[in-house]
Amino acid sequence: MVQTTITVTVDGTSYTDQVEPRMLLVQYLRETLGKTGTLIGCDTSNCGACTVHLDGVSVKSCTMFAVQADGHEVTTIEGIAGADGLHPMQTAFHENHALQCGFCTPGMIMASIDLLRENPNPDEQMIRDGLEGNLCRCTGYQNIVKAVRSAAETEAAKVELGATIPVGQPS
Amino acid sequence: MIPVAFDYSAPTTLDEALTLLADAGEDGKILAGGQSLIPVLKLRLAAPHAVIDLGRIDALRGIREDGDHVVIGAMTQHHDVATHPLVAEHANLIARATQTVADPQIRHRGTFGGALVHADPAGDLPAAALAMDAVFHIVGPGGERTVAAADFFVDLFTTAVGDNEILTEVRMPKKTAWVSDYQKFTRVAQQWSIVGVAATLRIENGRIAEARIALTNMGSVPIRVQAVEQALIGCAIEEDAIARATASVADGTNPPSDLNGDPDYRRHLATVLTRRAVLNAA
Amino acid sequence: MTITEIGASRLRKEDQRLITGRTRYTDNMVLPGMLHIALVRSPFAHARITAINVDEAKRAPGVIMVLTGKDVADEQGGIPSAWPVTPDQKAPPYLPIAVEHVAYAGEIVACVIGRTAAAARDALELIDVDYDDLPPVLDLEEAMTDTVLSHPDLGTNLSATWIFDSAAAGTGTDVAQALASSEVVIERTYYQQRLIPAFMEPRSTVVDPTGEQLTMWSATQVPHILKLMISLALSIPESKVRVVAPDVGGGFGGKLAVTAEEFITLLAARRTGKPCKYTETRTESLMGAHHGRAQVQRIRLSATKEGIVTGLDVNLLADMGAYLGVITSGIPILGAFMYNGIYKFPAYRFECNNLFTNKAPTGAYRGAGRPEATFAIERAMDDLAAELDMDPVELRRKNWIKHEEFPFTTVAGLEYDSGNYEAATDKALKEFGYDELRAEQKLRRQSGDRVQLGIGVSTYTEMCGLAPSRVLGSLDYAAGGWEHAQVRVLPTGAIEVVTGISPHGQGHETSFSQIVADRLGVPFDNVEVLHGDTQVAQRGLDTYGSRSLVVGGMAVVAAADKVIEKAKTVAAHLLEASRDDIEFTAGAFGVKGTDQSMTLGEIAFAVFSAHNMPDGFEPSLDSDATFDPVNFNFPHGTHLCAMEVDTETGAVTLRKYVCVDDIGNVINPLLVDGQIHGGLVQGISQALFEEAVYDESGTLVTGSFVDYLVPSAADLPMFTTDRTVTPALTNTLGVKGVGEAGTIASTPAIVNGVLDAVRHLGVDDILMPCTPSRVWNALRDAAQGGGRHRSPDPSSTKPDLDPAGGN
């Protein structure tokens, strides 16, 4: 098989590998890098379980070849926690019981983070519409929607708090 | 889940891409955003020997003004089209239709040109482009040619773009200050259109001065309904009048029959949705 | 004992690994030298295999081995049916790899073992299978006539006929008489469409043949049943098989199975001597994993003019699909005891014909038999209310068992221990705003509003906690219904709880920790719940049928109580007191009337060192318990929904959903609400979105998530969930099952709501799923025909599939 050399930064580490062009990004993450936190739930881009961030925006890693990620930056569920523990969205999912079997969860969290990046203060319907590309079979979505809303509120509270304390910050 | 193996190239210029495409012959396939092609490859419904990825040709991406036209590069991602101020101002029908395409992740990868060349009869952008009087710029071994929207969509999954040609950009006459709506009827949010209706209107003194109406998934190609466009001219923004003007919108159409509905139902839906699209737009 | 944990909304322990991606789903596993399996599946619904040529595939790069049914005919055994519902039940052999005959599209005909998944997949293209196609049996009513046979060798499509008759059983009177002598008889046919469980994690199996035992990791709900069945079907000593269910991504009954793919992976590993992995694609999952529901329900319900129900006759055609899986045949029988719902009419007869068709085998899907039963009775109650022009809630009130009448033995022979239908219904009506919504409905009807409003009502009860072993025996099920637990006290005082249930999203690591923390007075975080590995949890009957807490949890309680008894003996010895004077409170063993005491941890360490034990005391606090329930338990509830129907397009919108469920005492409200939310959506989805559709040649049309419509967040509203608490009397925790409740009640509530919106326009029935096109067609037919639009036959309303257009 003809292989192509790619260099991809995944969760902050740069990797150079030989891959077959037909290898999907999700297969590269799982099989070559052992990043099995990202999961595969369908063949048709419907379920969103494989959602990762490509250069900061959400994409379905089952609908992209690894070669297309050459030179780009990928973030997975395994790369979002800060040094101090969990990403706020991970915390929100935990605190709101927004997961049951957990299979949709990595994709759902990655999609939710991107949703708030684009719209930091979404209402319920915006959250629901923003997650239309991710299927969950356990939760009925109710607590997922609550989790995203609560993450948004937590972040807003932080920003508000932050705005009142520092002096002379560039605006 | 695993496509048939293929050779891959990622040219950085259009000339290079055309050469690669010519070399690949019949077994070559252009990869744009990949959001329709990659699932097809994974299911092995297609097995090209050579995949030529346009993703690294920067010249094919972007949205600009050119006099009284808005120009969208074929490789511009849906998300960028849906959120671009020039599109919002001069082609808001395109923005509205694009917002309904698939889901956020797919809109981050899928491209305007890719969706149009894919020409899925249930895709949302062909009808919108048709209603916008879009002109398609196609480059091939013999140079560049332009094709009007009316001639672009040839059949199911078939457009005027030849095997050795590439769609580079789509130009649309500005419809500044036109209002628009795209009615997409689905059973669940992430479904393809059962029926879609693209409507864009220019309103003067509370009456419709010009109208463009096109239908999604009412046949093998998107359908522009000029008879209804004519009937709408001079119409007051009033439900009964608009209902009368749009009543014939599905006449003579030959829509598909599937789990979501038979042709009668689709024709009925098209009629209802056209009225709603016009009223919503206005 | 101070109870602090039970009833607390503890956040889940299992979340940490799931939200960070540190998961162990089967497909994540990689073993040294592991080989990969790809499967050739029949494109035909019904055919004879005349030849298979695998030569080219065998020579393909990276291919280690190719197996056909003939190659493994002597060793592949067959998928067992554990439920001979009648002594003369008929069933064709269910071979993991077909040898001569395929009976559904998706049936496995060959297996490629490759060094990589890609190599195995590529080689599939090189295998040539010659088929002689046979006419398929696709319709249940046709199947019943035996004019075309799904398995010609069997001679009939009928697997079994199972009957319950209240007059014969002595639980009630004769239904024929009730029907003949009643003033009103409602006669209906309801169609339960075929559904696909569609768990998010595709099934995956890894088998490691190295070492003394075969180890199988599998995405299963039932590692213990699987281990036993592998041993029996493949004649492998049970002690040589270990089955592990690692993290499992949802099941909903769909992974309550012993599958061809699991057998094949095992055979492949044994043949090659290497670890082998099979992971299905979603397309394979939708066509190959078992489906659910798929029944035709002919119902006759009789009543007085005042609305007092007098009898119910049920005649069922149940689609087994092509083969009997492990519990396929028992699914409709599980419903037999639930058709009377919460009502107390005197006469009942149930007859079920289990039929083979050339479609994927059916099996458990969330509720398994009970949603079908509840749907039928709750639809029929609404239809009766409409016939009598009564409020549907009032009609139910007239017929349900009153709270002071418990315990109540039903016409189906079950003893309902407790319940309070009045309380749950009253609370639901109030929270829903029933009267206000009825007023709005009236206004919309009067004004001829384009969007009509319907109010859907459904009550339910279900038999939960499968099951008392004696009852299962009386139903001819091969196994019992007990559950096992072990509580181990480690030297540091940390607790390990081993349970035979096999959670896959339900949160039992958390809820069982809460139970044990309370029982033993130890911190929640000091309890670890172990499960899903037959080498760790040697005994168990796994997770399904809303049994985990009510059966498995009770086993945990019993084991914890034994620990306390043992520790008391040690405490008495070490504190030099009489055992009778030892009191156990909040994790400490004290001597009555003194301030002397020892914690459980101190006793644990003393037992570990065992330097000073009572004479004859075995130095261990570890305790086992096996709990066999004495009865089912019977959660119940009242669900109400407001449905908006756009009469122009047929589009249906769920505007409001309120449910009040009574599941007895609650261990963790957070988990309970989560179970209800998820259950509701699966039930709503049956009513509105999902259907596995085969075309006339027997090909699954809904073979991907593009066509098999699972709703996303964008398709649903927020639900109001509330509770009443009537403790179960059949277990000391007072708990009832909750996993299936939401699904059972929501399907009839939604359909009743849709019909309530359009009944005044002449529509009496709409097939599930109530798609916009079906709603619109029903409205159009009613408007054009003027007559009532009743019980459409699905075969006559299925559209021609012509995606290319044309008419």
Side-chain angles (χ1 to χ4, degrees):
Chain A
M1 295 292 163
V2 184
Q3 306 244 320
T4 303
T5 303
I6 61 169
T7 298
V8 188
T9 300
V10 180
D11 295 336
T13 303
S14 174
Y15 300 89
T16 299
D17 281 295
Q18 296 272 314
V19 298
E20 262 196 273
R22 63 166 159 174
M23 177 179 256
L24 301 169
L25 176 59
V26 69
Q27 289 163 338
Y28 175 70
L29 295 172
R30 289 175 56 79
E31 295 164 18
T32 307
L33 303 186
K35 290 200 171 270
T36 52
T38 302
L39 299 162
I40 303 170
C42 76
D43 332 317
T44 48
S45 303
N46 290 91
C47 82
C50 65
T51 301
V52 299
H53 294 171
L54 179 77
D55 300 329
V57 304
S58 62
V59 300
K60 292 181 174 176
S61 62
C62 78
T63 311
M64 195 179 155
F65 294 117
V67 286
Q68 292 179 283
D70 184 23
H72 293 275
E73 204 164 304
V74 174
T75 308
T76 78
I77 188 71
E78 297 172 57
I80 55 172
D84 52 343
L86 300 173
H87 185 281
M89 192 62 76
Q90 290 171 312
T91 305
F93 268 60
H94 174 55
E95 290 180 348
N96 289 280
H97 184 35
L99 61 146
Q100 290 180 31
C101 83
F103 199 82
C104 77
T105 308
M108 203 61 93
I109 287 176
M110 298 309 283
S112 298
I113 291 170
D114 195 43
L115 168 65
L116 290 195
R117 180 189 57 78
E118 195 146 343
N119 178 0
N121 187 26
D123 64 18
E124 185 201 325
Q125 198 53 49
M126 290 167 176
I127 294 170
R128 288 182 178 278
D129 291 342
L131 294 177
E132 67 180 326
N134 294 73
L135 299 177
C136 167
R137 196 65 164 159
C138 294
T139 64
Y141 304 104
Q142 182 135 333
N143 288 345
I144 291 174
V145 175
K146 277 166 69 180
V148 177
R149 187 60 222 151
S150 113
E153 279 161 18
T154 307
E155 285 306 290
K158 268 194 220 160
V159 170
E160 214 165 281
L161 213 62
T164 58
I165 298 164
V167 181
Q169 251 195 347
S171 56
Chain B
M1 267 300 286
I2 303 172
V4 174
F6 52 79
D7 292 331
Y8 172 84
S9 50
T12 54
T13 67
L14 190 57
D15 285 345
E16 210 186 325
L18 287 167
T19 307
L20 286 161
L21 190 58
D23 292 349
E26 276 185 7
D27 288 330
K29 187 79 194 166
I30 292 286
L31 173 64
Q35 303 303 286
S36 291
L37 178 63
I38 293 175
V40 163
L41 298 181
K42 282 159 63 180
L43 297 170
R44 299 198 171 201
L45 300 173
H49 286 173
V51 169
I52 298 140
D53 180 1
L54 303 185
R56 294 182 197 270
I57 306 177
D58 292 340
L60 293 178
R61 190 174 289 117
I63 297 166
R64 62 192 163 84
E65 279 178 287
D66 185 2
D68 51 6
H69 283 75
V70 185
V71 185
I72 301 180
M75 286 296 291
T76 311
Q77 270 107 4
H78 297 314
H79 179 267
D80 296 339
V81 174
T83 55
H84 201 284
L86 281 175
V87 178
E89 192 181 350
H90 304 300
N92 54 52
L93 174 62
I94 295 294
R96 284 176 190 275
T98 305
Q99 281 154 12
T100 73
V101 171
D103 58 52
Q105 293 98 310
I106 289 176
R107 292 197 291 273
H108 284 141
R109 292 289 300 165
T111 63
F112 189 65
L116 292 169
V117 176
H118 183 57
D120 191 313
D124 302 297
L125 299 183
L130 189 59
M132 287 298 293
D133 303 306
V135 174
F136 295 77
H137 288 239
I138 299 166
V139 175
E144 190 183 44
R145 67 193 180 103
T146 60
V147 175
D151 302 319
F152 185 78
F153 300 103
V154 176
D155 202 347
L156 291 172
F157 304 106
T158 310
T159 67
V161 179
D163 281 347
N164 50 6
E165 292 183 315
I166 293 170
L167 174 71
T168 55
E169 61 185 30
V170 180
R171 299 167 75 88
M172 287 170 281
K174 285 180 180 172
K175 290 192 178 357
T176 317
W178 285 50
V179 291
S180 65
D181 189 38
Y182 184 72
Q183 288 277 317
K184 176 172 182 165
F185 193 84
T186 59
R187 290 176 50 206
V188 297
Q190 60 165 234
Q191 204 182 7
W192 291 80
S193 280
I194 296 171
V195 172
V197 176
T200 187
L201 317 166
R202 189 166 61 79
I203 294 173
E204 256 178 35
N205 306 322
R207 286 180 183 272
I208 295 171
E210 281 185 89
R212 299 284 185 278
I213 305 290
L215 310 178
T216 298
N217 211 17
M218 287 299 290
S220 53
V221 294
I223 297 168
R224 172 108 176 249
V225 195
Q226 275 158 329
V228 169
E229 293 173 1
Q230 291 299 316
L232 282 167
I233 294 173
C235 231
I237 311 306
E238 186 265 311
E239 178 156 356
D240 288 346
I242 287 169
R244 274 194 304 276
T246 56
S248 66
V249 75
D251 287 3
T253 57
N254 189 20
S257 185
D258 58 26
L259 297 177
N260 302 304
D262 59 16
D264 273 355
Y265 178 61
R266 280 196 159 88
R267 281 189 280 262
H268 168 77
L269 264 188
T271 313
V272 173
L273 297 177
T274 303
R275 189 195 73 223
R276 290 183 183 181
V278 171
L279 279 167
N280 266 5
Chain C
M1 198 191 312
T2 50
I3 292 183
T4 53
E5 287 292 341
I6 289 182
S9 284
R10 269 280 184 191
L11 298 180
R12 296 203 320 171
K13 293 186 158 182
E14 38 281 80
D15 286 357
Q16 291 306 314
R17 65 179 187 272
L18 300 173
I19 57 177
T20 53
R22 290 186 294 108
T23 47
R24 289 191 175 174
Y25 296 103
T26 303
D27 188 52
N28 295 359
M29 289 200 50
V30 178
L31 294 173
M34 189 172 79
L35 303 174
H36 298 263
I37 291 173
L39 300 171
V40 178
R41 292 173 184 271
S42 168
F44 292 100
H46 194 194
R48 289 208 182 280
I49 301 168
T50 54
I52 304 184
N53 186 338
V54 299
D55 295 347
E56 208 184 331
K58 279 184 173 167
R59 289 194 299 268
V63 171
I64 300 293
M65 196 179 280
V66 179
L67 297 174
T68 65
K70 274 196 183 130
D71 296 331
V72 294
D74 297 337
E75 55 180 307
Q76 70 170 341
I79 305 300
S81 161
W83 207 331
V85 296
T86 59
D88 58 349
Q89 170 174 292
K90 292 192 175 59
Y94 186 178
L95 304 177
I97 307 182
V99 178
E100 290 175 336
H101 178 245
V102 287
Y104 72 98
E107 187 166 354
I108 298 160
V109 295
C111 158
V112 177
I113 306 159
R115 290 189 59 193
T116 63
R121 177 65 188 85
D122 287 344
L124 293 188
E125 317 280 346
L126 307 174
I127 294 178
D128 265 340
V129 186
D130 292 337
Y131 299 94
D132 270 355
D133 60 333
L134 297 166
V137 179
L138 300 168
D139 178 84
L140 281 176
E141 276 139 340
E142 272 173 42
M144 191 69 192
T145 65
D146 273 348
T147 43
V148 180
L149 296 177
S150 53
H151 295 271
D153 295 348
L154 207 61
T156 177
N157 293 318
L158 185 64
S159 175
T161 300
W162 192 93
I163 294 168
F164 176 87
D165 188 317
S166 63
T171 55
T173 55
D174 181 56
V175 86
Q177 217 165 359
L179 290 167
S181 62
S182 292
E183 291 160 317
V184 186
V185 177
I186 295 288
E187 191 165 349
R188 293 287 187 276
T189 303
Y190 301 127
Y191 292 89
Q192 293 284 330
Q193 78 269 39
R194 201 170 244 269
L195 299 175
I196 304 181
F199 32 74
M200 289 316 299
E201 178 206 18
R203 298 172 306 161
S204 177
T205 300
V206 172
V207 176
D208 184 358
T210 62
E212 268 312 299
Q213 287 182 313
L214 277 166
T215 304
M216 174 183 285
W217 290 263
S218 197
T220 181
Q221 293 173 231
V222 290
H224 296 90
I225 292 174
L226 181 55
K227 173 181 163 165
L228 177 64
M229 292 300 175
I230 285 171
S231 165
L232 292 174
L234 298 175
S235 303
I236 303 171
E238 208 181 336
S239 55
K240 294 290 187 190
V241 185
R242 171 188 178 196
V243 176
V244 185
D247 283 329
V248 175
F252 319 111
K255 290 173 182 169
L256 196 192
V258 175
T259 68
E261 291 86 349
E262 286 162 335
F263 278 37
I264 291 167
T265 309
L266 191 153
L267 294 173
R270 218 163 49 173
R271 282 279 189 117
T272 59
K274 293 284 180 199
C276 286
K277 180 197 275 187
Y278 170 75
T279 300
E280 68 186 0
T281 65
R282 177 58 62 181
T283 304
E284 287 181 290
S285 188
L286 292 173
M287 68 161 70
H290 75 239
H291 295 176
R293 308 285 195 273
Q295 296 179 359
V296 177
Q297 307 172 296
R298 298 174 185 140
I299 305 295
R300 285 184 297 164
L301 181 75
S302 61
T304 67
K305 273 189 302 197
E306 290 72 37
I308 304 298
V309 178
T310 54
L312 174 67
D313 181 71
V314 177
N315 186 292
L316 213 62
L317 304 180
D319 188 352
M320 305 290 99
Y323 298 102
L324 298 185
V326 70
I327 61 161
T328 303
S329 47
I331 302 296
I333 316 302
L334 285 172
F337 305 96
M338 287 284 106
Y339 274 84
N340 51 295
I342 65 170
Y343 309 112
K344 53 183 180 186
F345 51 81
Y348 171 52
R349 186 175 186 280
F350 171 93
E351 175 178 328
C352 174
N353 292 293
N354 283 353
L355 292 160
F356 291 111
T357 59
N358 294 114
K359 297 183 184 177
T362 59
Y365 174 53
R366 206 164 189 168
R370 294 157 290 166
E372 296 92 311
T374 306
F375 180 86
I377 185 64
E378 289 301 309
R379 283 287 313 277
M381 290 302 272
D382 255 41
D383 286 344
L384 178 62
E387 188 91 6
L388 297 173
D389 198 21
M390 282 181 70
D391 180 280
V393 177
E394 279 319 300
L395 179 73
R396 286 168 170 84
R397 212 181 274 280
K398 280 186 176 195
N399 285 285
W400 69 42
I401 302 156
K402 294 187 172 50
H403 71 274
E404 65 272 16
E405 293 173 327
F406 290 94
F408 185 91
T409 301
T410 71
V411 72
L414 294 179
E415 187 185 279
Y416 292 180
D417 58 328
S418 68
N420 192 334
Y421 309 140
E422 300 94 316
T425 304
D426 290 345
K427 197 169 185 180
L429 290 171
K430 194 165 164 227
E431 290 185 28
F432 184 65
Y434 188 77
D435 295 337
E436 295 83 345
L437 283 160
R438 282 280 180 220
E440 181 186 337
Q441 177 184 47
K442 199 173 164 190
L443 284 177
R444 288 198 189 206
R445 283 184 184 177
Q446 283 166 351
S447 68
D449 200 312
R450 207 170 263 165
V451 178
Q452 287 293 314
L453 178 65
I455 295 170
V457 182
S458 178
T459 66
Y460 74 98
T461 186
E462 53 161 330
M463 45 193 249
C464 275
L466 303 185
S469 297
R470 273 186 299 195
V471 174
L472 290 176
S474 72
L475 294 174
D476 302 305
Y477 180 60
W482 47 264
E483 196 45 82
H484 174 258
Q486 185 181 48
V487 175
R488 309 200 285 232
V489 187
L490 305 187
T492 57
I495 307 293
E496 286 177 345
V497 177
V498 180
T499 171
I501 62 145
S502 194
H504 41 280
Q506 294 87 347
H508 298 128
E509 291 171 34
T510 300
S511 54
F512 284 17
S513 293
Q514 289 177 271
I515 292 171
V516 171
D518 265 358
R519 211 77 186 178
L520 298 182
V522 297
F524 171 80
D525 291 328
N526 278 13
V527 185
E528 197 70 31
V529 176
L530 309 176
H531 59 80
D533 179 345
T534 61
Q535 208 164 67
V536 175
Q538 295 96 334
R539 303 187 66 219
L541 285 167
D542 309 317
T543 287
Y544 45 85
S546 300
R547 70 188 303 271
S548 295
L549 174 62
V550 295
V551 188
M554 285 303 300
V556 169
V557 167
D561 287 349
K562 287 185 184 174
V563 168
I564 295 168
E565 290 309 309
K566 287 185 189 177
K568 269 187 184 170
T569 303
V570 179
H573 176 74
L574 295 175
L575 295 170
E576 298 175 343
S578 156
R579 196 178 180 287
D580 294 341
D581 289 339
I582 300 293
E583 285 180 325
F584 178 60
T585 349
F589 294 83
V591 182
K592 240 181 248 174
T594 74
D595 59 358
Q596 282 189 306
S597 84
M598 288 182 82
T599 65
L600 182 63
E602 288 167 336
I603 294 172
F605 199 83
V607 170
F608 165 70
S609 57
H611 297 162
N612 179 17
M613 290 290 104
D615 288 342
F617 184 84
E618 193 181 315
S620 167
L621 295 177
D622 299 353
S623 298
D624 283 81
T626 302
F627 178 80
D628 197 347
V630 295
N631 191 0
F632 297 100
N633 59 84
F634 301 95
H636 67 83
T638 299
H639 289 215
L640 299 167
C641 62
M643 306 302 299
E644 290 189 337
V645 175
D646 179 338
T647 57
E648 257 195 329
T649 62
V652 171
T653 308
L654 169 56
R655 177 170 125 187
K656 187 174 192 181
Y657 200 103
V658 172
C659 60
V660 175
D661 295 292
D662 194 322
I663 54 155
N665 292 331
V666 170
I667 306 296
N668 183 326
L670 203 62
L671 300 188
V672 162
D673 286 343
Q675 285 295 311
I676 297 286
H677 295 155
L680 289 178
V681 169
Q682 287 187 4
I684 292 165
S685 204
Q686 175 176 9
L688 297 181
F689 305 122
E690 294 177 36
E691 181 172 20
V693 179
Y694 286 83
D695 67 15
E696 70 279 5
S697 67
T699 302
L700 183 67
V701 177
T702 53
S704 79
F705 281 153
V706 175
D707 295 306
Y708 192 81
L709 299 185
V710 171
S712 74
D715 304 303
L716 297 156
M718 286 289 182
F719 310 112
T720 303
T721 59
D722 206 342
R723 282 185 284 280
T724 54
V725 178
T726 311
L729 303 176
T730 52
N731 65 66
T732 56
L733 289 170
V735 294
K736 310 177 196 172
V738 67
E740 294 154 308
T743 305
I744 289 172
S746 57
T747 310
I750 296 287
V751 177
N752 281 340
V754 172
L755 290 172
D756 187 53
V758 295
R759 211 185 276 269
H760 68 289
L761 300 172
V763 177
D764 276 346
D765 197 11
I766 297 169
L767 288 173
M768 293 191 291
C770 300
T771 64
S773 108
R774 281 178 175 162
V775 173
W776 180 77
N777 273 299
L779 285 165
R780 186 181 60 165
D781 291 354
Q784 286 174 355
R788 306 301 283 177
H789 184 86
R790 185 161 284 171
S791 292
D793 176 351
S795 58
S796 70
T797 60
K798 215 158 264 175
D800 295 334
L801 296 168
D802 180 11
N807 180 19

